[in-house]
Amino acid sequence: MKSSVEKWGPFEAAFQGPGDGNPFVDVTLDVAFSRENRTVLAPGFYDGDGVYRVRFMPDTEGEWTYETRSNVVALNGVTGAFRCGPPSSGNHGPVRVRNRWHFAYADGAPYFPFGTTCYAWTHQPLDVQRQTLATMRPSGFNKLRMAVFPKHYTFNENEPLHDIYERGRDGALDFDRPNPIAFRHFETQVAALGEMGIEADVIIFHPYDRWGYCTMSAEQDDRYVRYLVARLAAHRNVWWSLANEYDFLIDVKPVAKWDRFFHIIEENDPARHLKSIHNGEETMNFDHRKPWVDHVCIQNWNVKRTTAWRNDWGKPIVNDELEYEGDISLAWGNITAQELVHRFWVTMTRGGYAGHGECYAHPQDLLWWAKGGVLHGESSRRIAFLRSIIEEDVVNGLTPAPDEWPWQRVSMAGDGEVRFIYLGEHQPGLWIAGLPTDDRPCEVDVIDAWNMTVTPAKRVPRPSFPKLRQRGGALRDPQPLASFAIELPSKPYQAIRIRPPRKGAG
Amino acid sequence: MKSSVEKWGPFEAAFQGPGDGNPFVDVTLDVAFSRENRTVLAPGFYDGDGVYRVRFMPDTEGEWTYETRSNVVALNGVTGAFRCGPPSSGNHGPVRVRNRWHFAYADGAPYFPFGTTCYAWTHQPLDVQRQTLATMRPSGFNKLRMAVFPKHYTFNENEPLHDIYERGRDGALDFDRPNPIAFRHFETQVAALGEMGIEADVIIFHPYDRWGYCTMSAEQDDRYVRYLVARLAAHRNVWWSLANEYDFLIDVKPVAKWDRFFHIIEENDPARHLKSIHNGEETMNFDHRKPWVDHVCIQNWNVKRTTAWRNDWGKPIVNDELEYEGDISLAWGNITAQELVHRFWVTMTRGGYAGHGECYAHPQDLLWWAKGGVLHGESSRRIAFLRSIIEEDVVNGLTPAPDEWPWQRVSMAGDGEVRFIYLGEHQPGLWIAGLPTDDRPCEVDVIDAWNMTVTPAKRVPRPSFPKLRQRGGALRDPQPLASFAIELPSKPYQAIRIRPPRKGAG
């Protein structure tokens, strides 16, 4: 019976081959997958014990055949076939860039990233990992930043569950021999997230290291990237984050190396998962305009600049570190929940996407941002609320208002006929700017971003104001025109939603 | 008996001259004030009814003589003398720039501007003006932004108490004939502020106009500036703010005109009061590096950039509009009191100075920011508290920490042996950065910027952290060294003060 796989599901084939020498280095394996006139090349990989595998994520339903290519006779010219059926419910395929500044699943379903961060969660004891998955499932987060290599950092000093490379007889890591057990475990957790509809933002390199992973040779680095891509690319929920804080590694991995890593992924990932690279210092942004960068991943607390970043780079902006909720002694990890929720709203209503992290001090150093486990903070529920608000109305992604008064001070963005105004630290009792200028029916609601309430806005006549002198001498109304004004509760963290009347409402 | 005046007090002499024709235009009058070999020229002015005056603020004690110069025989060559005695208690002279980024009184006493804004208060009914002065006295504000011309603007539509120019028989303003009554009234209010130790930041031009003041001819503009300077410069508490939002007038007053106004002041103000010019749009900053600009006056909500502005312009930064506390429908006038107090602290602890304004909607449009009256908000008390904290320890002005981690995220500034760390939206439970690295005795206090409390900090051993890889491969402690850490209450708006032990304390 011919094997079968769903569209955007992982097809896998295994082959027996040589187990002596160093198969990771000595043996090449690529597999050509074909459907009618189309052929796609996928890299194979050595999985230990004389077993070689290839994985492939078909993007088209129907009959597929494959044929192996290897420098080893036993692995060369092996053929096979499988059938690709329709995607199962909830399988929307991998996430792609859509509408230049936004994302969508391959099947066209909207995808708005609401990510969080547990850098080293797959390296913790298994019970903590189970807890992390149990926390993620209902959390409302749909993306998780996670590193392949273990992490050596403040609040994260424990040894990893698995070494990423095998150890030689001298006990030293052999960076020419990946440890299949470690990769299998990582894949299992990527798959577990995938089953929950959560994207795995896989961090390939990072500088938080005491084992030597970040100072492997150029050849070892390249081989590692190819090996990782060969193993993971068939998981539809994978994103490639080339580095966390790449600039802290710039002495050992200059920009040309990062460009090469991008190219190795391009050459080896037939699924073309999203690729990004994350900076440490604000002044060290990568040149995100390079065509091999799919979206901009940055850390920056100054979120009102989101619109400027969109203009600078012309790609989706994912600000994954706008500082984390917490109370630790490091300034990037101790803002209030109110501030983090506020920064999420500002980022979204300026056309970008934000990332969450949580750093509350813990007697056993169980900080969510590093190890996962459970959430202690107040922001995640509000972020889930924001996600529900966005997903209720937005389809194509939010386009920010032009950089004109008052939209430098407060934030506005819209998609089609829905529009959000986010007031943040502003607390007007009456509001006019951005309200409809015509008499078409519309719904206007006041959203309390912190208290998570949605209340129909009370409409009042727009007051009249004296006309003011403008540059050039013309007299103009100091407030935008609008067919009505609304009353607001004069407190911070309020948003306004304007949209057409709901069908069947009222 | 020879008249007498205190140092930095206003000397005034009056002369009878022609009252026919247009003395404002026809008659020139300058007075040379001399003490020993030194001669200082002060402009005279026509005060109506055939009376000409000259005012002069002597800056040196001793005997002074003067001699008038005029194109009118009766006013030419008139001589006189007066004696300048020591300044009275509380008279520290005019404010000057000191230490490049800061201010001080002429006698060397520190002056830290904590200003507020009542643009049109001198144009309101007299009972409101009395109320404004009564509010100012105990408020803790020591500078007031106020415009010479009346204001036509949202929430400020009433006619002024006095026309600034006389009206002709046709009822139209005659921009060749200043109205001495209006100027006398303005001077009275400048003097009333002076008696309370409050600097008058006098706004010479602004675009909020329906009477024609902002579109006078170039000659009328020049004459107005000279007239104003002649009348006001002897008041030691005067600052010259050439414009509010000069760029909204750029079509009628291009940059060359503003430069000329600066020069007219330089030529006519022997007291050399501080001169600045205030922008509207963020992108329209004046070139504050010009030598005739004494300090930078800007409006900008993005207060963590204060250190960058210091570096850009190399002059004292006075951010007089970091948005106002209030609840009106205009985004520049409706931030929360918490946010305004926060922005004050950020600005101060990055080496700048901030300005207050208040815009709560009022049934009779009595908004403090425009008309004065009474304060309704919550920020002014906290700003006065901040002033008391600063004045307790700072002498030379605060120098911000270098632009290195973590001082982009949180703020630190010091003067001599006192240092302030302001955490704002950060809520650490434990803090290390910026604490002393030696064992000299010191006082460390936690200041709650919002609740206005000062509490000795609880010291705890500095935790040890794993060393982390730095760029270049070196291992380094991720936290600054410090001889101890302190516990903090894990809430926003906290500051830390470090200073030598108080003499006689304990």
Side-chain angles (χ1 to χ4, degrees):
Chain A
M1 197 182 83
K2 188 160 43 177
S3 69
S4 169
V5 65
E6 64 182 289
K7 184 177 175 180
W8 302 309
F11 170 80
E12 180 178 303
F15 315 96
Q16 208 64 39
D20 56 341
N22 185 348
F24 294 105
V25 176
D26 301 337
V27 177
T28 66
L29 175 64
D30 290 285
V31 181
F33 287 86
S34 300
R35 180 174 144 67
E36 297 174 358
N37 282 326
R38 179 180 174 212
T39 295
V40 178
L41 216 58
F45 62 92
Y46 183 59
D47 201 25
D49 301 321
V51 177
Y52 294 75
R53 296 184 196 277
V54 68
R55 292 173 181 158
F56 179 63
M57 186 193 86
D59 56 10
T60 311
E61 293 174 46
E63 306 298 321
W64 288 81
T65 61
Y66 61 84
E67 181 174 355
T68 64
R69 303 172 185 179
S70 177
N71 60 351
V72 169
V73 172
L75 295 169
N76 192 43
V78 182
T79 59
F82 65 93
R83 173 168 179 72
C84 175
S88 58
S89 149
N91 170 1
H92 299 286
V95 172
R96 309 294 192 199
V97 172
R98 184 170 66 174
N99 302 328
R100 184 162 186 180
W101 284 287
H102 301 286
F103 301 98
Y105 290 105
D107 75 349
Y111 173 80
F112 309 108
F114 285 85
T116 183
T117 308
C118 305
Y119 285 124
W121 78 278
T122 64
H123 300 291
Q124 304 311 311
L126 288 172
D127 59 328
V128 179
Q129 295 193 40
R130 278 190 290 272
Q131 211 173 31
T132 305
L133 289 170
T135 303
M136 282 300 290
R137 186 182 294 276
S139 68
F141 293 119
N142 61 8
K143 182 169 82 68
L144 182 59
R145 289 166 76 206
M146 50 195 280
V148 178
F149 290 129
K151 187 181 179 191
H152 169 73
Y153 203 79
T154 316
F155 313 118
N156 198 141
E157 300 174 57
N158 55 335
E159 282 296 319
L161 190 63
H162 300 293
D163 292 321
I164 306 305
Y165 285 83
E166 292 180 353
R167 289 187 183 271
R169 286 183 188 167
D170 59 354
L173 289 169
D174 179 351
F175 295 115
D176 291 323
R177 291 183 181 268
N179 176 8
I181 294 167
F183 283 89
R184 269 177 232 141
H185 176 70
F186 192 81
E187 289 153 20
T188 301
Q189 299 303 53
V190 167
L193 293 172
E195 280 158 25
M196 297 193 269
I198 296 166
E199 303 295 301
D201 204 352
V202 174
I203 297 167
I204 301 179
F205 292 101
H206 65 66
Y208 328 117
D209 182 42
R210 67 171 175 264
W211 303 273
Y213 296 118
C214 78
T215 50
M216 300 189 300
S217 73
E219 204 185 337
Q220 288 164 340
D221 279 351
D222 291 358
R223 215 186 289 129
Y224 157 66
V225 174
R226 192 181 190 276
Y227 187 77
L228 184 70
V229 171
R231 295 198 67 117
L232 276 176
H235 290 273
R236 65 176 167 271
N237 64 320
V238 160
W239 297 25
W240 305 119
S241 179
L242 269 75
N244 215 54
E245 301 189 324
Y246 86 93
D247 46 317
F248 296 162
L249 287 169
I250 204 83
D251 60 316
V252 283
K253 300 190 203 306
V255 168
K257 277 201 188 180
W258 296 108
D259 284 337
R260 194 178 66 219
F261 299 148
F262 273 109
H263 299 325
I264 291 172
I265 297 173
E266 288 184 303
E267 289 163 10
N268 287 282
D269 175 10
R272 309 203 82 75
H273 293 290
L274 293 167
K275 302 179 299 302
S276 71
I277 182 165
H278 174 92
N279 64 298
E281 296 189 28
E282 187 187 336
T283 51
M284 290 294 288
N285 277 309
F286 200 81
D287 181 359
H288 298 292
R289 292 167 303 177
K290 288 178 176 173
W292 39 92
V293 180
D294 292 309
H295 63 281
V296 176
C297 179
I298 51 169
Q299 57 171 308
N300 201 304
W301 55 264
N302 201 356
V303 291
K304 284 190 184 173
R305 288 175 56 196
T306 303
T307 313
W309 298 324
R310 281 171 51 113
N311 295 338
D312 286 349
W313 292 310
K315 296 188 181 180
I317 304 296
V318 182
N319 189 352
D320 265 325
E321 278 193 58
L322 14 79
E323 302 181 328
Y324 302 131
E325 179 185 355
D327 66 354
I328 60 170
S329 57
L330 293 127
W332 45 258
N334 58 23
I335 60 170
T336 62
Q338 284 86 347
E339 182 68 21
L340 182 56
V341 174
H342 168 69
R343 291 184 188 178
F344 260 79
W345 274 86
V346 170
T347 300
M348 293 293 302
T349 52
R350 288 174 180 256
Y353 298 96
H356 165 271
E358 192 186 283
C359 294
Y360 282 103
H362 185 278
Q364 281 83 50
D365 279 352
L366 292 176
L367 278 66
W368 172 261
W369 136 91
K371 298 182 178 173
V374 295
L375 286 163
H376 301 276
E378 297 290 322
S379 66
S380 62
R381 279 199 305 142
R382 275 85 182 182
I383 294 166
F385 170 73
L386 170 58
R387 181 181 167 191
S388 73
I389 291 287
I390 296 296
E391 291 186 346
E392 187 175 336
D393 286 288
V394 180
V395 176
N396 302 298
L398 288 169
T399 300
D403 186 27
E404 289 165 8
W405 195 90
W407 310 119
Q408 304 100 336
R409 300 178 188 269
V410 296
S411 308
M412 181 168 81
D415 176 29
E417 293 198 286
V418 66
R419 195 185 306 173
F420 299 93
I421 298 165
Y422 176 62
L423 298 169
E425 73 277 27
H426 295 264
Q427 54 169 4
L430 184 84
W431 190 254
I432 297 164
L435 293 179
T437 53
D438 58 36
D439 291 327
R440 280 185 299 171
C442 67
E443 260 185 39
V444 182
D445 294 295
V446 178
I447 300 172
D448 186 316
W450 182 253
N451 294 307
M452 299 183 282
T453 57
V454 180
T455 314
K458 186 179 170 198
R459 302 181 192 199
V460 292
R462 178 187 181 283
S464 65
F465 298 99
K467 292 197 187 311
L468 300 183
R469 186 182 190 283
Q470 303 296 309
R471 198 183 299 175
L475 293 177
R476 210 175 63 188
D477 207 295
Q479 280 268 21
L481 294 175
S483 39
F484 55 88
I486 62 168
E487 287 185 1
L488 286 168
S490 295
K491 57 182 180 174
Y493 309 133
Q494 305 300 299
I496 301 161
R497 178 179 63 196
I498 304 134
R499 60 183 187 182
R502 300 292 88 182
K503 289 189 183 88
Chain B
M1 198 182 84
K2 190 159 42 179
S3 68
S4 170
V5 65
E6 65 181 290
K7 186 177 174 180
W8 301 311
F11 169 80
E12 181 177 303
F15 314 96
Q16 208 63 40
D20 56 338
N22 186 348
F24 295 105
V25 176
D26 302 337
V27 178
T28 66
L29 175 64
D30 290 287
V31 181
F33 287 86
S34 300
R35 182 175 141 64
E36 296 174 359
N37 281 327
R38 180 180 173 214
T39 295
V40 178
L41 216 57
F45 63 92
Y46 183 60
D47 201 25
D49 300 321
V51 177
Y52 293 76
R53 295 181 198 277
V54 68
R55 291 172 181 160
F56 179 63
M57 187 192 85
D59 57 10
T60 311
E61 293 175 44
E63 305 300 320
W64 288 81
T65 61
Y66 61 84
E67 181 175 354
T68 63
R69 303 171 185 180
S70 176
N71 61 351
V72 170
V73 173
L75 294 170
N76 193 42
V78 182
T79 60
F82 65 91
R83 175 170 176 72
C84 174
S88 57
S89 151
N91 170 1
H92 299 287
V95 173
R96 310 294 192 198
V97 171
R98 185 170 65 174
N99 303 327
R100 185 162 186 179
W101 284 287
H102 302 286
F103 302 97
Y105 289 105
D107 74 350
Y111 173 81
F112 308 109
F114 285 85
T116 183
T117 308
C118 305
Y119 285 124
W121 78 278
T122 64
H123 299 291
Q124 305 311 311
L126 287 173
D127 58 329
V128 178
Q129 296 193 40
R130 277 189 291 271
Q131 210 175 31
T132 305
L133 289 170
T135 302
M136 282 300 288
R137 186 183 293 277
S139 68
F141 293 119
N142 61 9
K143 181 168 82 68
L144 183 59
R145 288 166 76 206
M146 51 196 278
V148 178
F149 290 130
K151 187 182 179 191
H152 168 75
Y153 203 78
T154 316
F155 312 119
N156 197 141
E157 301 174 56
N158 54 334
E159 282 296 319
L161 190 64
H162 300 293
D163 292 320
I164 306 304
Y165 285 84
E166 291 180 353
R167 289 190 183 270
R169 286 185 188 167
D170 59 354
L173 289 169
D174 179 351
F175 295 114
D176 292 323
R177 292 182 181 269
N179 177 5
I181 295 167
F183 283 89
R184 267 177 233 141
H185 176 71
F186 192 80
E187 289 152 20
T188 300
Q189 299 303 52
V190 167
L193 293 171
E195 280 157 26
M196 296 192 266
I198 296 166
E199 303 295 302
D201 205 351
V202 174
I203 298 167
I204 301 179
F205 292 102
H206 65 67
Y208 329 117
D209 182 42
R210 67 170 175 265
W211 303 273
Y213 296 117
C214 78
T215 49
M216 300 188 300
S217 73
E219 204 186 336
Q220 288 164 340
D221 279 349
D222 291 357
R223 214 186 290 131
Y224 157 67
V225 174
R226 192 179 188 279
Y227 188 77
L228 184 70
V229 171
R231 297 198 66 116
L232 276 176
H235 289 273
R236 65 175 167 271
N237 65 320
V238 160
W239 296 27
W240 304 120
S241 180
L242 268 74
N244 215 55
E245 302 189 321
Y246 85 92
D247 45 317
F248 296 162
L249 286 168
I250 204 82
D251 60 315
V252 283
K253 300 190 204 304
V255 168
K257 276 201 189 181
W258 295 108
D259 284 336
R260 194 179 65 217
F261 299 149
F262 273 109
H263 300 326
I264 291 172
I265 297 173
E266 289 184 302
E267 290 163 8
N268 288 282
D269 175 10
R272 308 203 80 76
H273 293 290
L274 293 166
K275 303 179 297 303
S276 71
I277 182 165
H278 174 93
N279 64 299
E281 295 190 28
E282 187 186 336
T283 52
M284 289 294 287
N285 276 308
F286 201 80
D287 181 358
H288 298 291
R289 293 168 302 178
K290 289 178 176 174
W292 40 91
V293 179
D294 292 309
H295 64 280
V296 175
C297 178
I298 51 170
Q299 58 170 309
N300 201 302
W301 55 263
N302 201 354
V303 291
K304 284 189 183 172
R305 288 176 57 196
T306 302
T307 313
W309 298 324
R310 280 172 52 112
N311 295 337
D312 286 350
W313 291 312
K315 296 187 181 181
I317 304 296
V318 183
N319 189 352
D320 266 325
E321 278 193 59
L322 12 80
E323 301 181 329
Y324 302 130
E325 180 186 353
D327 67 354
I328 60 171
S329 58
L330 294 128
W332 46 258
N334 58 23
I335 61 171
T336 63
Q338 284 87 347
E339 183 68 21
L340 182 56
V341 174
H342 169 70
R343 292 183 187 179
F344 259 80
W345 274 85
V346 170
T347 301
M348 292 293 301
T349 53
R350 289 175 180 253
Y353 298 95
H356 164 273
E358 194 187 282
C359 296
Y360 283 103
H362 185 279
Q364 281 83 48
D365 278 353
L366 293 176
L367 278 68
W368 172 260
W369 136 92
K371 297 182 179 172
V374 295
L375 286 162
H376 302 275
E378 296 291 321
S379 67
S380 63
R381 279 199 306 142
R382 276 85 180 181
I383 294 165
F385 171 72
L386 170 58
R387 181 181 167 192
S388 72
I389 292 287
I390 296 296
E391 292 187 345
E392 188 175 336
D393 286 289
V394 181
V395 175
N396 302 298
L398 288 169
T399 300
D403 186 27
E404 290 166 8
W405 194 89
W407 309 120
Q408 305 98 335
R409 299 177 188 270
V410 295
S411 308
M412 179 168 81
D415 177 29
E417 294 197 285
V418 67
R419 197 185 303 171
F420 298 93
I421 298 165
Y422 176 62
L423 298 169
E425 71 278 26
H426 295 265
Q427 54 168 5
L430 185 82
W431 190 253
I432 298 165
L435 293 179
T437 53
D438 57 37
D439 291 327
R440 279 186 298 173
C442 68
E443 259 185 39
V444 183
D445 295 295
V446 178
I447 300 172
D448 186 315
W450 181 253
N451 294 307
M452 299 183 282
T453 58
V454 180
T455 314
K458 186 179 169 198
R459 303 181 191 199
V460 293
R462 177 187 180 283
S464 66
F465 299 98
K467 291 197 187 312
L468 299 184
R469 186 181 190 285
Q470 302 297 308
R471 199 182 298 177
L475 293 176
R476 211 174 64 186
D477 207 297
Q479 278 269 21
L481 294 175
S483 37
F484 56 88
I486 62 169
E487 287 185 2
L488 286 169
S490 294
K491 57 181 180 174
Y493 310 133
Q494 305 300 298
I496 301 162
R497 178 180 61 197
I498 303 135
R499 62 183 185 181
R502 299 290 88 180
K503 287 185 186 93

